[in-house]
Amino acid sequence: MSELSAIHKPEITHTQLVKYAGASGDFNPIHTVVPIGEKAGLDGVIAHGMLIMGMAGEALAVWFPRKDLRKFKVRFSRMTRPGEKLTIEGKVTGERMEEDEKRLTGEVSVKNEAGEVKLSGQFEVKI
């Protein structure tokens, strides 16, 4: 197994969530309107899961050429809130052949500063 260099993201902000809502078209108010998030029992707003997945995907594009990505799947495990700083970690776990291509298999995770896993996933890239 080979560890990939960790990528540290700046603090998640409420403004970032509003901008992401506009860019993605996901205007669910639990992501942007604090009283709605509170009414839903969330103690405020939460980040869009796809924003966090996008950060993991961005890390894959730093580690490997984007054109070589063959598979990427994730599982969300915890909510992310404004004020959290996230780190994306990855590791190569093996090699395999598929469709006449040699591929690296690996794992990716997104964690906050307390070590809480927000997302975990697997990927395959052509080598």
Side-chain angles (χ1 to χ4, degrees):
M1 282 195 261
S2 170
E3 297 289 326
L4 300 166
S5 58
I7 296 175
H8 303 280
K9 302 302 284 183
E11 181 177 306
I12 300 286
T13 66
H14 189 224
T15 301
Q16 180 181 21
L17 301 183
V18 171
K19 288 180 177 181
Y20 185 81
S24 69
D26 181 350
F27 294 103
N28 185 327
I30 65 168
H31 301 302
T32 57
V33 183
V34 173
I36 299 291
E38 290 171 344
K39 188 174 180 181
L42 300 173
D43 293 329
V45 296
I46 59 171
H48 303 75
M50 295 308 290
L51 172 62
I52 308 310
M53 184 179 181
M55 291 178 182
E58 181 182 34
L60 290 174
V62 169
W63 298 325
F64 306 101
R66 185 171 303 188
K67 67 181 177 50
D68 294 337
L69 182 65
R70 296 297 185 260
K71 293 184 181 178
F72 177 39
K73 64 180 182 177
V74 303
R75 178 173 218 105
F76 301 98
S77 51
R78 294 192 97 129
M79 292 180 278
T80 302
R81 301 176 183 284
E84 291 188 87
K85 292 182 183 177
L86 303 177
T87 299
I88 300 97
E89 298 174 338
K91 62 183 170 185
V92 174
T93 57
E95 290 183 15
R96 63 190 222 101
M97 290 294 293
E98 184 170 319
E99 299 177 14
D100 297 324
E101 285 184 340
K102 190 173 187 180
R103 297 182 184 185
L104 294 177
T105 59
E107 298 173 355
V108 62
S109 65
V110 178
K111 299 176 183 175
N112 67 7
E113 290 178 297
E116 296 172 327
V117 177
K118 304 296 183 164
L119 170 152
S120 57
Q122 295 84 41
F123 63 87
E124 287 186 16
V125 291
K126 178 183 118 179
I127 54 173

